[in-house]
Amino acid sequence: MPVKIRLQRHGKKGKPFYWIVAADARSKRDGRYLEKIGTYNPNTNPATIDLNVDGAVKWLQNGAQPTDTAKSILSYKGALLKNHLAGGVKKGALTEEQAEEKFNAWIQEKESTVNAKKDSLAKAAAAAEAKALAAEKEVSDKREAAVSIDAEEAIADAADKAEEVTEEATAAVNEEASSEEE
């Protein structure tokens, strides 16, 4: 029975989520599988991959062939490297401790690059947010300035109208007073 390590699609339309599985090559894409090895979520940035490396190495040593995408995921998480180092241990080129030491050094280096990418994405998001806030503050200041100018004009207009009303009232009172005197 030829075994493939491949992706099974889950999730909803437009939001894929994959299981990494070892399955019979003749089964359907989303059909029966032998073992679930991990998950892959391409919707996050960077993509989230949860992989049982030892389980993947076990299947690779038993002859399972990964598909192209699964192979790149296994390579990204270090399963292919661990399989390669296990082959070196079997041949006697390395000891178990040396192989584990090399694998752990590679994992730490990979984690540092992933963390650097996450930090750069966080900094870019913070810079974009600060830029948007500055633009919003500028628009708000312009609106406030326009409102204050409009308010000053309205106050001046109200003062002019009050003067006119006062003059008219004074004139009316004077006319009444002069008509009563006569």
Side-chain angles (χ1 to χ4, degrees):
M1 169 172 72
V3 176
K4 290 253 185 208
I5 297 177
R6 63 182 180 203
L7 301 180
Q8 261 193 359
R9 186 181 166 128
H10 294 274
K12 60 183 186 177
K13 192 187 324 181
K15 295 279 188 181
F17 183 83
Y18 298 97
W19 288 358
I20 303 166
V21 297
D24 185 357
R26 297 168 291 187
S27 65
K28 296 178 183 178
R29 178 192 73 175
D30 297 337
R32 188 168 179 210
Y33 60 90
L34 301 170
E35 182 182 352
K36 179 179 172 184
I37 300 172
T39 60
Y40 168 58
N41 184 3
N43 298 318
T44 60
N45 191 6
T48 306
I49 301 171
D50 180 31
L51 182 69
N52 177 1
V53 176
D54 294 328
V57 170
K58 179 190 82 168
W59 280 106
L60 289 170
Q61 288 176 347
N62 287 334
Q65 294 296 312
T67 60
D68 293 337
T69 306
K71 187 173 185 176
S72 65
I73 290 172
L74 294 176
S75 175
Y76 181 80
K77 292 305 276 187
L80 295 180
L81 175 66
K82 194 164 188 176
N83 185 38
H84 177 72
L85 292 173
V89 169
K90 280 185 183 176
K91 291 179 182 177
L94 297 169
T95 64
E96 191 73 39
E97 293 80 26
Q98 289 173 329
E100 194 65 32
E101 184 179 314
K102 283 186 176 186
F103 181 71
N104 289 334
W106 184 86
I107 288 289
Q108 288 178 352
E109 181 181 332
K110 189 69 169 180
E111 285 178 357
S112 67
T113 58
V114 169
N115 288 336
K117 181 177 181 179
K118 285 181 182 178
D119 291 342
S120 68
L121 289 171
K123 285 179 184 177
E129 188 176 322
K131 188 176 180 181
L133 182 63
E136 191 174 313
K137 183 165 175 48
E138 183 179 328
V139 168
S140 177
D141 290 343
K142 285 181 181 179
R143 283 186 186 151
E144 191 174 298
V147 166
S148 66
I149 290 172
D150 290 344
E152 289 174 6
E153 290 176 3
I155 291 171
D157 289 343
D160 291 342
K161 287 182 181 179
E163 253 182 64
E164 290 175 14
V165 169
T166 306
E167 288 175 7
E168 290 175 5
T170 307
V173 168
N174 289 338
E175 282 182 26
E176 279 187 34
S178 63
S179 63
E180 286 182 7
E181 288 179 9
E182 296 176 0

